[in-house]
Amino acid sequence: MTTKIIHFMVNGTLEKAEFEADCSAADVKDVFRAAAEAGPHHILKLYSVDGGVLNISPLLEANGEDSYYRLEVVASDLKSVGMPNELDTMEHRLHHLESRVMEDVGQTPEVVCDLKSQVESFKRKLESVKHLSWMELFKEDGDHQSSPKPRSSLLSVQEEHQQVRRKFLNMSSLQVTEEVREHLKTPTFDNWQWEEAEMLVLLQVMFTDLDFLTAFHIQLDVLQNFLFQVFCHYNNIPFHNFRHCFCVTQMMYGLIWLTDLKSKVSRIDLLVMLTSALCHDLDHPGYNNVFQINAQTDLALRYNDISPLENHHCAVAFGIMSEPECNILKNLSSDQYKHIRGGMIRCILATDMARHNEILHKFKSIQPVFNFTNKEHKEVLMKIMVKVSDISNEARPMAVAEPWLDCLLQEFFNQSDTEKLKGLPVAPFMDRDKVSKPSSQTGFIRFVLLPLFTEITKLFPCLEEHILEPVRRALDFYSDLERAGKQQQEEEKQGEQEEQGRSSAGGAVL
Ligand code: 5GP
Ligand code: MN
């Protein structure tokens, strides 16, 4: 039987919990309760290194002493937390209401049935949200089809990864047809058709078809180890996952071909851009910089609130390459290594959207005199290319782009739910009560995508049809949806007012 060891900090002391993988959730909770000297009604919250809330269960991932979790007792009594208590009260009052109406009328009226189903559905939602597990409503083995497939335990994550590795190594890049190779060079490529091992093969194809292996003496097995480690270091979260990494890298690859960048910048800079795209969100925890800073997570502490996530993504990238068997840069001269390290740090740090205007303005100011041989100009362009790739989902065909928006909103809502529970500030664009798919996209396309894509299109006019046009179409689509939504709301409001008018007029006659 495997024993799991969990290191965690509670009341300022580093503690160790040990339990068998097949013990019950209650047993695990009791171990933590005892360590925190908490009573049976105390609520325990366990946080990961990155500040995410962990579910206290036998599936908890084992950790090392240097990556300990943080255990907190957040309330001494379940009732003082509010929501579960309110839920209980709501159910109780509904039950009471139903029985009184039954006595009077003999059947449950429709409005009570509606209320019951709303409360039931809200409860089901709470039960299915893992990071609300500290409310003790979360159901470990519930059959919640709509939630993403959980990575069950540390062991099975490793097993899953090894399966992907075996599949990846068994597939040769020679099996990738010429048709797919060509399609891979365009923004219309459909990422949803490919599973993880196949995406790894396609990434390998990108490195080989840009001649990086020969130019930089990269051994195939080293490239494969590197790509596999990159895959392992993306988390299973709704948006900032390995598939997003693949999409951003594939867009970067497409842009390189569409703009014939090979003839304009050196190959080493192409390597910087492609590798930066690949590594730009490594180990993203699913909670943005604002959260990291407000929640004072370990990442914010480590990087003094300065782009904590981007600094982390980049540090993880070079951590992977510090292992010789994964180091695709090991056969380069120290000058080449320095060039690539500097370039990747610049490009990855440039993906912090807090710096969006600063970088775009810089690019705009050099645009009229842009010169590919000017080092400063070229460095701004490299940042812009990675940024364009990073936020390019809406430049893809609608069928490819739309599911990405669902993923993004799911991650936003996870964050804002956590912020509400922790009493942290909530950004309106992440708030499930304030955001819809069209409202999220019209602003982002108008104020972020179009200005950026227009600027890059001035330098590379051929990008107009490939990325600018699709983004304009997406804006039209979401603007229409937004208008239709508003019109429907207006009609509903008018209908309600007319209804009210009729009933008060009726009352007057009586
Ligand atoms: P990333 O976090 O992926 O490095 O940086 C990109 C950020 O831009 C995302 O976190 C997200 O906030 C924003 N973003 C990217 N694509 C979209 C989109 O299609 N719609 C909206 N509303 N925001 C986006
Ligand atoms: Mn990204």
Side-chain angles (χ1 to χ4, degrees), residues 90-118:
M90 236 187 301
E91 275 189 310
H92 187 76
R93 283 170 59 193
L94 259 176
H95 186 69
H96 184 64
L97 186 70
E98 190 182 9
S99 48
R100 280 193 52 190
V101 175
M102 281 287 274
E103 276 172 23
D104 292 350
V105 188
Q107 66 179 44
T108 309
E110 213 172 300
V111 62
V112 177
C113 289
D114 277 358
L115 263 176
K116 270 175 73 180
S117 85
Q118 275 177 31

Side-chain angles (χ1 to χ4, degrees), residues 268 318 327 329 332-342:
I268 199 165
F318 283 94
N327 188 4
L329 308 178
L332 299 182
S333 69
S334 66
D335 278 350
Q336 282 177 311
Y337 177 83
K338 269 189 208 157
H339 181 94
I340 293 179
R341 178 161 165 82

Side-chain angles (χ1 to χ4, degrees), residues 499-510:
E499 186 61 36
Q500 269 175 4
R502 261 199 299 277
S503 55
S504 55
V509 170
L510 278 175

Side-chain angles (χ1 to χ4, degrees), residues 204-217:
Q204 183 182 310
V205 167
M206 295 180 207
F207 274 75
T208 44
D209 283 5
L210 284 171
D211 291 330
F212 289 161
L213 277 73
T214 38
F216 304 111
H217 312 291

Side-chain angles (χ1 to χ4, degrees), residues 322-388:
S322 70
E323 298 296 331
E325 70 274 16
C326 301
N327 188 4
I328 54 170
L329 308 178
K330 74 173 167 195
N331 292 328
L332 299 182
S333 69
S334 66
D335 278 350
Q336 282 177 311
Y337 177 83
K338 269 189 208 157
H339 181 94
I340 293 179
R341 178 161 165 82
M344 279 182 64
I345 293 173
R346 270 191 300 276
C347 286
I348 295 178
L349 293 190
T351 61
D352 182 350
M353 289 301 286
R355 294 181 54 205
H356 178 76
N357 287 333
E358 168 217 325
I359 297 168
L360 180 59
H361 280 137
K362 177 96 191 137
F363 185 54
K364 261 184 171 165
S365 71
I366 59 175
Q367 181 81 255
V369 289
F370 192 88
N371 182 350
F372 283 99
T373 59
N374 177 315
K375 184 167 172 278
E376 194 193 346
H377 292 190
K378 184 204 65 188
E379 284 179 3
V380 180
L381 174 66
M382 289 167 73
K383 292 180 194 170
I384 289 281
M385 296 288 273
V386 175
K387 278 176 59 53
V388 167

Side-chain angles (χ1 to χ4, degrees), residues 234 239-240 244-245 248 277 280-281 284 313 351 386 389-391:
Y234 274 92
F239 185 87
H240 290 99
H244 168 66
C245 145
V248 176
H280 87 283
D281 272 333
H284 197 299
H313 304 320
T351 61
V386 175
S389 309
D390 189 18
I391 54 176

Side-chain angles (χ1 to χ4, degrees), residues 69-82:
Y69 301 142
R70 207 157 40 77
L71 181 65
E72 271 182 23
V73 181
V74 293
S76 60
D77 183 346
L78 195 63
K79 286 185 170 51
S80 65
V81 174

